[in-house]
Amino acid sequence: MEVLNLGMVGGGTVGSGVFHALQRNGELLAARIGIRIQVRKVAVKAVDEPRPYPIPRSLLTTDWREVVEDPNVHLVTELVGGTTVARTIVRTALRLGKPVITANKALLSAHGPELFAEARAHGTNLYYEASVCGGIPIIKALREGFVGNQIVALYGIVNGTCNYILTRMAREQADFATVLAEAQREGYAETPPDLDIDGHDAQHKTGILASLAHGFWVPPSQIHVEGIRSVTLLDLQFAAQLGYSIKLLGIVKRLDGAAPGRGRGPAIQVAVYPALIPTGHVLAGVQGVYNAVLVRGDVVGDTLFYGRGAGKDATASAVLSDLADAALDLRFGSRQRRPAFVEQTPGGRVVPMEQVVSRSFVRLSVVDRPGVLARIAAVFGQARIGIASVIQPEGHTGEVVPLIFMLHEAPDGAVCRALARIARLPVVKAPPVRFRVEPLDQDGPSNPNAGA
Ligand code: HSE
């Protein structure tokens, strides 16, 4: 049987997970693809660093060049993370014509087009299944499984840390700070947690998914992002009373009513924000660290992918899948069969968030006095934003009480401007809280009164 040598850069959590998975299922993989993948060298930060699975010392080096530049290494994994050294490692390997497998969403997000071009120029390829949603084969699904579909919408719970925190807040009726602190103590959230809870990890992943779904590269600068710091227990409770759960979603939607992009490519929404989704929807049932992605294709309809989005074993599973593809591509000389990224023509555009239309949940803290509701409703009315329902929940007494509005569809910019005006009313005692509502239905929300 043909043997291909693998050079691994990164032997930490994910790297040692890949090593272990290859030990465990290497024979199975070989039987399935007809090629044996053999680890030749592993570059690590420090030989003695703790790792979840052991790697024989004889394979270890602290010099990544020794791995990448070894003429007997045929395939390279980059599992170090970050965007500086990782970029050099990937470029060096690609320039040597070696296929690279990476799990590095931040690197792709920052330098994807450059690395794809490098792969093309050197007749090799870059594989990145592990970069989005760990063990869920969502990259392969978008590139291959749905190759015959227009992607109408994609909604992803793509950050396990945020989903874990929101799940625990709802389940234990606990506030954000308490749950975050506990999650950090238990190792479910990083310290500092900003990359996850401010939505940037989800932004990187959503950009990759949007680019694959629509065939033009979507850089992070074009992706509206809001994290989960603003989600309070009170909002989870009011949302639940109205039949909704709050989830951090990566959202990619075709906006067929918007002006098309350059060359009449698709106009799309790409964003990350905490959204209210119907509690009865299957995505609302995705609990804890699990990820899930709903892909709506124009031919296939709704499909759902669910699984562990992070962790050494789930991520290793995705790396093994890429290793199999890379090995087969090498063997059959088909390295460009599925290029890392296919720029489709004509190009598309990301619609600025302020033009995107959605429903909203708004929570105000107001003085409990006759006439207050009328003054606030007048601002929405002047902004031509329809009110679907208003609740002043009972049981809240005192000078300041909550007032909840469910708003019909309206452009984001109009909602933000109306809320800025409302915030300035003397009867409003705290900054308005607003979350968008995503009904997740097949036909999308429709409200003949929107803007009326
Ligand atoms: N930190 C990420 C998460 C996993 O919480 O889902 C790596 O992208």
Side-chain angles (χ1 to χ4, degrees):
M1 188 182 291
E2 187 177 348
V3 176
L4 289 177
N5 291 328
L6 171 63
M8 298 181 60
V9 185
T13 305
V14 176
S16 71
V18 170
F19 185 84
H20 175 78
L22 270 175
Q23 301 294 107
R24 175 174 161 173
N25 285 348
E27 284 304 314
L28 178 72
L29 192 66
R32 284 177 172 163
I33 66 171
I35 303 166
R36 181 162 287 114
I37 295 170
Q38 191 166 277
V39 178
R40 186 170 169 90
K41 272 190 192 128
V42 186
V44 292
K45 243 188 283 174
V47 168
D48 298 329
E49 71 187 347
R51 49 183 65 89
Y53 297 116
I55 301 176
R57 217 185 161 99
S58 59
L59 294 178
L60 299 180
T61 169
T62 51
D63 179 4
W64 65 262
R65 288 190 184 275
E66 213 184 291
V67 173
V68 171
E69 292 171 0
D70 179 341
N72 291 313
V73 161
H74 307 113
L75 307 154
V76 173
T77 51
E78 179 280 302
L79 302 167
V80 294
T83 57
T84 50
V85 180
R87 181 183 180 195
T88 312
I89 292 165
V90 173
R91 289 173 70 180
T92 305
L94 294 174
R95 284 175 182 180
L96 289 167
K98 300 185 183 186
V100 178
I101 292 109
T102 181
N104 194 333
K105 65 230 79 181
L107 178 67
L108 288 172
S109 188
H111 303 294
E114 169 201 277
L115 299 176
F116 301 148
E118 201 83 76
R120 232 183 354 262
H122 294 90
T124 187
N125 216 341
L126 181 62
Y127 303 79
Y128 49 95
E129 182 64 68
S131 67
V132 181
C133 294
I136 302 176
I138 190 65
I139 302 285
K140 210 176 203 15
L142 284 174
R143 285 156 54 98
E144 301 186 27
F146 298 133
V147 69
N149 282 257
Q150 298 275 7
I151 306 302
V152 178
L154 180 154
Y155 302 91
I157 295 175
V158 296
N159 185 270
T161 305
C162 289
N163 203 49
Y164 178 81
I165 291 172
L166 294 174
T167 302
R168 280 194 57 181
M169 285 173 69
R171 196 180 284 161
E172 297 164 23
Q173 297 290 287
D175 65 31
F176 174 77
T178 307
V179 173
L180 173 62
E182 279 185 29
Q184 286 178 305
R185 263 200 307 279
E186 293 163 4
Y188 287 106
E190 305 273 349
T191 304
D194 313 23
L195 186 67
D196 290 314
I197 66 173
D198 290 330
H200 299 299
D201 173 78
Q203 183 187 28
H204 296 151
K205 295 168 180 168
T206 304
I208 294 170
L209 296 179
S211 304
L212 287 173
H214 291 286
F216 66 98
W217 190 250
V218 179
S221 57
Q222 292 187 19
I223 305 175
H224 176 87
V225 59
E226 294 169 29
I228 62 165
R229 286 183 204 268
S230 58
V231 180
T232 67
L233 180 56
L234 207 54
D235 297 311
L236 287 170
Q237 289 168 339
F238 289 141
Q241 284 171 25
L242 292 162
Y244 293 96
S245 302
I246 301 183
K247 295 287 186 189
L248 184 77
L249 295 183
I251 297 175
V252 182
K253 270 191 240 179
R254 254 186 102 100
L255 302 179
D256 287 332
R262 202 175 17 92
R264 310 202 68 73
I268 59 172
Q269 172 192 350
V270 189
V272 172
Y273 46 74
L276 271 69
I277 61 173
T279 300
H281 193 278
V282 63
L283 270 190
V286 176
Q287 307 276 306
V289 295
Y290 277 85
N291 284 192
V293 186
L294 186 163
V295 182
R296 180 170 300 152
D298 64 342
V299 181
V300 71
D302 277 8
T303 59
L304 187 70
F305 298 80
Y306 171 85
R308 283 189 182 276
K312 54 190 186 311
D313 301 320
T315 311
S317 166
V319 173
L320 257 51
S321 161
D322 276 349
L323 273 172
D325 273 350
L328 286 167
D329 284 347
L330 266 187
R331 178 175 183 185
F332 293 104
S334 57
R335 282 175 260 181
Q336 291 297 317
R337 186 184 73 87
R338 297 294 310 174
F341 181 67
V342 181
E343 183 89 33
Q344 295 156 27
T345 47
R349 77 175 180 112
V350 176
V351 174
M353 194 62 206
E354 70 156 30
Q355 293 168 18
V356 171
V357 169
S358 43
R359 297 182 192 173
S360 298
F361 161 100
V362 171
R363 176 171 60 82
L364 302 177
S365 302
V366 298
V367 172
D368 194 10
R369 196 185 301 150
V372 168
L373 178 57
R375 293 185 65 181
I376 293 164
V379 177
F380 285 130
Q382 282 154 15
R384 304 174 67 80
I385 298 170
I387 297 170
S389 63
V390 186
I391 311 167
Q392 182 178 341
E394 297 200 21
H396 293 264
T397 50
E399 166 77 355
V400 175
V401 294
L403 196 55
I404 313 296
F405 291 85
M406 293 297 279
L407 304 179
H408 283 307
E409 286 180 287
D412 225 73
V415 176
C416 292
R417 283 189 294 276
L419 290 178
R421 281 187 62 197
I422 287 169
R424 289 195 294 272
L425 296 174
V427 292
V428 174
K429 294 300 180 192
V433 173
R434 179 257 182 145
F435 297 107
R436 297 171 191 84
V437 180
E438 295 294 336
L440 306 177
D441 46 8
Q442 282 273 3
D443 302 322
S446 65
N447 164 33
N449 299 321

